[in-house]
Amino acid sequence: MLKKFIALLSLGLALCAAGCGNDTTAQSSAQTQDSQDSQEAEETQAQDALRAVYLKNDNGVLFVSIEQDSPFTGNIPDEILDEDGNAISEDDLNNGDVVDVYGNGIMLESYPGQYPGITKLVRVEKENQEYIEKYQEMVDQFLPDPDTSQPPELSLSYRQTDAVVTAICDQFGYTWEFTDENGESQVVIADTAHVLQSEGLIQFELEGETQMTVVSAYPPEQIVVSRWEVGQREASKDSVPEGESVPVEELEDGLAFMAEPGYIYEITGSWPEGEATYGFEAAAKNS
């Protein structure tokens, strides 16, 4: 009887040892899998990075993809790291720095391309002179000195569900003073119909109340925005009613204001050379 008990006890201990061994093996296997998954995720993230040259002058910033030699613009994210993984700011980036660009991978079709979904920049090399010389022509082309002999075009950038849109406003009257090639001061005054009286005013289709950011090769120092209900257009043929003032904010991306369908907007920009007026109609986007 004692021998039988000892035999059963030995069998139980063996089974317990085998079970514990299986648990340890399973735990080790799970840890190995987690490590592999983490490594694969890091490799995927590295593959998703777009290596580019960061180029800038007094007129803006341009990226150029090194692999494709293709220029693109994009937002500057809050997360910027140097070669050692330390956090830095945009002010620490220099012309010619080589950076890995992380983001959602969606490049808008334009030329240069637009990459509004950048989430992180990692600098891998500082001020590569070879790239500065190689891409200088692109910088001159896409970041030129503004022509101050006349009011610039004024565009508005805004986000919709399926895209980030940049559209040019209609230009109206202006007063502009500049120095010509002979060094003589010239003053040009252009009178036009009021934006509310304009026929064929450009329409921007909006999904609802939308933030509009001013974009220009020569940005205004400040803007004043007014609006009228579309229904007031007919009555404006006799006299233009006073418009409703629209608040303007100064954001990192530029001067911005909110617009909504059903209104006509007038934007008056101010520069050292003078003032110019622009306008558009905000219409409801068809679903």
Side-chain angles (χ1 to χ4, degrees):
M1 189 72 178
L2 181 59
K3 291 181 179 179
K4 184 175 181 182
F5 174 77
I6 292 173
L8 289 173
L9 179 60
S10 299
L11 178 61
L13 291 172
L15 290 173
C16 180
C20 291
N22 288 338
D23 288 344
T24 302
T25 302
Q27 183 177 4
S28 176
S29 177
Q31 290 175 345
T32 301
Q33 184 63 44
D34 289 343
S35 178
Q36 290 175 347
D37 291 343
S38 177
Q39 183 177 356
E40 289 175 1
E42 290 177 0
E43 290 175 353
T44 299
Q45 186 182 36
Q47 291 170 358
D48 289 342
L50 173 65
R51 183 153 294 185
V53 185
Y54 173 90
L55 300 162
K56 68 177 180 179
N57 62 17
D58 293 339
N59 305 317
V61 171
L62 182 72
F63 295 93
V64 178
S65 167
I66 294 175
E67 182 178 352
Q68 299 176 339
D69 280 341
S70 57
F72 65 93
T73 60
N75 61 294
I76 303 299
D78 293 331
E79 186 176 7
I80 306 175
L81 306 178
D82 66 10
E83 301 87 333
D84 299 320
N86 300 315
I88 58 176
S89 70
E90 182 181 2
D91 292 337
D92 297 311
L93 292 176
N94 302 297
N95 187 41
D97 284 355
V98 179
V99 294
D100 281 341
V101 182
Y102 293 86
N104 59 16
I106 301 175
M107 186 75 69
L108 302 182
E109 294 183 3
S110 61
Y111 191 76
Q114 298 178 61
Y115 195 174
I118 297 175
T119 58
K120 181 173 71 171
L121 296 177
V122 179
R123 187 173 64 196
V124 297
E125 183 182 351
K126 294 178 72 173
E127 299 181 72
N128 186 303
Q129 293 299 317
E130 180 181 345
Y131 286 137
I132 291 175
E133 294 175 7
K134 180 178 180 180
Y135 297 124
Q136 186 59 50
E137 187 175 339
M138 288 187 180
V139 173
D140 294 339
Q141 178 182 358
F142 297 114
L143 301 176
D145 291 331
D147 176 10
T148 60
S149 65
Q150 58 185 345
E153 289 185 341
L154 196 75
S155 298
L156 296 175
S157 178
Y158 57 96
R159 182 180 294 276
Q160 297 293 270
T161 300
D162 55 353
V164 175
V165 181
T166 300
I168 299 175
C169 297
D170 283 338
Q171 186 180 95
F172 292 86
Y174 60 86
T175 299
W176 204 255
E177 182 176 0
F178 66 99
T179 303
D180 63 19
E181 297 177 353
N182 299 320
E184 297 181 0
S185 179
Q186 302 289 341
V187 178
V188 179
I189 299 175
D191 290 325
T192 65
H194 190 273
V195 60
L196 197 59
Q197 300 170 328
S198 174
E199 296 183 4
L201 184 63
I202 189 168
Q203 287 189 346
F204 297 168
E205 294 188 343
L206 308 179
E207 296 171 342
E209 190 175 33
T210 304
Q211 179 176 285
M212 317 294 281
T213 303
V214 171
V215 178
S216 177
Y218 185 24
E221 295 179 334
Q222 65 180 26
I223 59 171
V224 175
V225 181
S226 300
R227 73 177 188 178
W228 294 262
E229 293 182 3
V230 172
Q232 294 179 273
R233 176 184 280 139
E234 186 65 27
S236 72
K237 292 181 178 180
D238 297 326
S239 63
V240 177
E242 183 177 354
E244 176 187 356
S245 178
V246 179
V248 175
E249 292 184 274
E250 186 171 355
L251 306 178
E252 289 185 4
D253 295 336
L255 299 171
F257 61 93
M258 302 301 293
E260 59 182 304
Y263 288 89
I264 291 172
Y265 289 82
E266 178 188 70
I267 306 165
T268 301
S270 297
W271 289 263
E273 293 79 11
E275 291 187 347
T277 302
Y278 307 82
F280 71 96
E281 177 181 340
K285 186 174 182 179
N286 295 325
S287 57

